[in-house]
Amino acid sequence: MLTRRQFFANSLATVAGASLAEWILSPTSHASDDKDTVKVMQYDDSGQKVGPIRVKKVRKTDDEWRQQLTPLQFEVTRKEGTERGFTGEYFNLHDKGVYRCICCNNALFSSDTKFESGTGRPSFWAPIAKENVRDTNDSSLGMRRTAVSCTECDAHLGHVFDDGPKPTYLRYCMNSASLKFAKQG
């Protein structure tokens, strides 16, 4: 017969052992605490989902980014700049394909969700995968907005607004300078 003290000690040991086993056997428990990697959804250029993957965060110095990017791309993606409306490469593009991050090639948007917003910038009602973009509060320019960046490399992409079309009613207003288009087929 167990004493109350032995019963509680055995119960505590059982719970602790089960929790430890679950933590050890869980493939995501260690990775979720890893600040050097992120989970993204991979897509091929036809827009087909390849699957989730953990990738190492892309971190480069400003000089390394300047070597890779044009001055406008650097200003927009690394310094949170904005290109002038109706001047970007993709605002009036209607081809089928995938819009990728200019900095790291992460799939960001599909042409299937692109729509004409009248802003002179490529606009989408949803990202290709929630995991691939990150929203943050932006109070610059004296107003409250939601900035959108690439999960993999932290490139500034543009802003999201709640005045878009169905089904999400969102308008992801992106800078062409932050994107590169991979044409389907």
Side-chain angles (χ1 to χ4, degrees):
M1 187 151 151
L2 292 175
T3 66
R4 187 180 339 185
R5 183 175 288 162
Q6 289 170 326
F7 173 78
F8 284 120
N10 287 347
S11 297
L12 182 61
T14 301
V15 169
S19 297
L20 179 62
E22 181 179 340
W23 181 79
I24 289 172
L25 296 175
S26 172
T28 59
S29 63
H30 310 295
S32 65
D33 294 335
D34 184 2
K35 302 294 185 214
D36 291 328
T37 64
V38 291
K39 179 184 169 190
V40 295
M41 279 293 180
Q42 283 192 318
Y43 289 81
D44 64 21
D45 287 345
S46 69
Q48 294 298 310
K49 186 186 294 187
V50 176
I53 187 170
R54 284 203 81 74
V55 295
K56 190 171 176 79
K57 283 277 282 183
V58 177
R59 292 190 170 89
K60 295 182 180 184
T61 65
D62 279 354
D63 286 338
E64 290 172 316
W65 285 122
R66 279 189 184 96
Q67 289 175 11
Q68 177 183 333
L69 304 168
T70 69
L72 178 60
Q73 291 167 341
F74 178 80
E75 181 61 30
V76 168
T77 62
R78 309 323 308 175
K79 299 301 177 186
E80 298 180 10
T82 301
E83 67 190 2
R84 287 183 299 129
F86 303 98
T87 64
E89 184 177 359
Y90 302 126
F91 85 91
N92 201 25
L93 182 68
H94 302 288
D95 294 344
K96 291 286 188 190
V98 174
Y99 292 83
R100 295 182 174 279
C101 179
I102 194 70
C103 295
C104 69
N105 209 40
N106 183 20
L108 301 171
F109 298 94
S110 167
S111 60
D112 293 338
T113 63
K114 190 172 190 259
F115 69 97
E116 293 299 325
S117 66
T119 63
R121 293 185 181 85
S123 296
F124 307 86
W125 49 263
I128 198 165
K130 282 283 211 190
E131 298 91 341
N132 294 15
V133 297
R134 186 171 43 93
D135 297 348
T136 55
N137 291 326
D138 177 3
S139 58
S140 66
L141 304 178
M143 61 180 103
R144 294 182 58 202
R145 301 179 294 174
T146 302
V148 180
S149 59
C150 174
T151 300
E152 196 169 331
C153 71
D154 296 325
H156 173 72
L157 306 171
H159 292 86
V160 62
F161 303 95
D162 61 3
D163 60 359
K166 292 179 184 179
T168 64
Y169 298 99
L170 296 175
R171 174 175 52 96
Y172 285 83
C173 189
M174 303 295 101
N175 292 285
S176 288
S178 66
L179 306 171
K180 70 177 165 184
F181 183 70
K183 189 173 182 175
Q184 186 175 342

